[in-house]
Amino acid sequence: AIPSSIATDIVDSLTKTGKVVRGWMGVAIQEITPALAKSFKLPEQRKGVLISDVNENGPSHTAGMRRGDVVISFNGKEVQSVSQLRNLVARMGVGKDADIKILREGKEQVLKVKVAERPSDEVLAKREPAPSAAPSETVKPPDNVLAALRVQLLDAAMQSQLNIPAKTTGVVVSSVEAGSAAESAGLQRGDVIQEVNHEVVKSLEDYQKASAKVKKDEMVVLLLSRQGNNLFVAVNPK
């Protein structure tokens, strides 16, 4: 069922422009799990949604929004869920400014984002040409919750096969140990690890250094690219 208010917006848009125009901020968002809330040092019971990616050509990037920001209100309305924020943005008039309150490193701030028209799916899905192939390497697993993962360098062939934008860097998961905490957290073969506990990973050496800092019984938060979409995943050994 479609709420009558949204149906009215669609009719108005079709009448005025001959097409359905939806507002767009140019970000990828995800729900905040308790483990992610702990990792991002959010207050208990804090509602909001987590920014997992910011489109370089979108209005949020222009406004200064960053990956890892938590949106807590949109034009004075408290943000409770991903679906709610999507509806608020989609119904916002294109070209209008929205006051978006975020949490960044535990501090609140307000960004003014000029809502744009959502590009077509074809434009959003457009990929850059893949770079030249690089040799695949592997790395010794660390002595912590990431020991269940086997990773290797992301090369051009894998980027094309996994539908990953050419600018994406990191290491690709080649296998996940069955029954491990990593498997329980949802890690999959083909995931590209771009950050380990908020440290950027661009090479096997970066991954090895960042993963070695994780204590044996410590939770770790990974930024992944999965089929071209970014998301944060918390892997808890307990």
Side-chain angles (χ1 to χ4, degrees), residues 23 39 44-45 81 112 115 119 123 130 148 160 194 213:
S39 169
E44 288 189 22
Q45 307 304 318
S81 67
K112 193 173 289 291
V115 176
V123 171
S160 178
Q194 301 182 88
K213 296 178 183 178

Side-chain angles (χ1 to χ4, degrees), residues 14-221:
L14 288 171
T15 302
K16 293 176 182 177
T17 67
K19 61 179 180 178
V20 179
V21 177
R22 294 186 177 90
W24 180 68
M25 282 173 43
V27 293
I29 54 180
Q30 66 180 96
E31 304 287 2
I32 301 174
T33 64
L36 287 174
K38 182 179 179 181
S39 169
F40 283 88
K41 300 177 181 178
L42 302 179
E44 288 189 22
Q45 307 304 318
R46 166 61 77 186
K47 298 293 184 181
V49 300
L50 179 62
I51 302 295
S52 58
D53 200 15
V54 181
N55 188 303
E56 292 182 355
N57 299 314
S60 290
H61 184 269
T62 302
M65 194 169 287
R66 302 177 191 169
R67 178 188 296 147
D69 287 345
V70 175
V71 178
I72 57 178
S73 76
F74 182 91
N75 274 348
K77 293 184 179 180
E78 186 174 338
V79 173
Q80 303 280 344
S81 67
V82 164
S83 59
Q84 179 212 13
L85 179 58
R86 281 179 179 154
N87 285 337
L88 288 172
V89 175
R91 297 183 62 191
M92 186 81 179
V94 171
K96 292 185 177 179
D97 289 331
D99 289 328
I100 300 176
K101 185 182 290 186
I102 63 167
L103 268 178
R104 179 181 294 167
E105 297 176 355
K107 297 180 180 179
E108 292 186 5
Q109 58 180 284
V110 177
L111 302 178
K112 193 173 289 291
V113 178
K114 186 180 290 294
V115 176
E117 180 179 348
R118 185 183 186 279
S120 67
D121 291 338
E122 290 77 12
V123 171
L124 289 175
K126 190 176 181 181
R127 298 282 183 259
E128 299 172 14
S132 57
S136 294
E137 303 174 46
T138 58
V139 64
K140 183 180 178 181
D143 184 23
N144 51 44
V145 73
L146 298 178
L149 301 179
R150 296 296 178 272
V151 302
Q152 62 187 72
L153 189 66
L154 176 66
D155 59 26
M158 282 192 178
Q159 280 184 319
S160 178
Q161 179 184 348
L162 300 174
N163 192 31
I164 296 169
K167 64 182 179 181
T168 303
T169 56
V171 296
V172 64
V173 176
S174 56
S175 68
V176 184
E177 183 180 323
S180 65
E183 184 186 54
S184 299
L187 269 290
Q188 304 173 10
R189 182 177 182 275
D191 285 343
V192 178
I193 300 174
Q194 301 182 88
E195 290 182 7
V196 175
N197 278 348
H198 314 300
E199 288 193 30
V200 175
V201 171
K202 292 186 177 181
S203 65
L204 285 172
E205 185 180 9
D206 289 345
Y207 175 79
Q208 200 159 18
K209 287 180 179 178
S211 61
K213 296 178 183 178
V214 180
K215 296 177 182 178
K216 192 167 186 177
D217 296 321
E218 184 182 1
M219 180 184 72
V220 62
V221 172

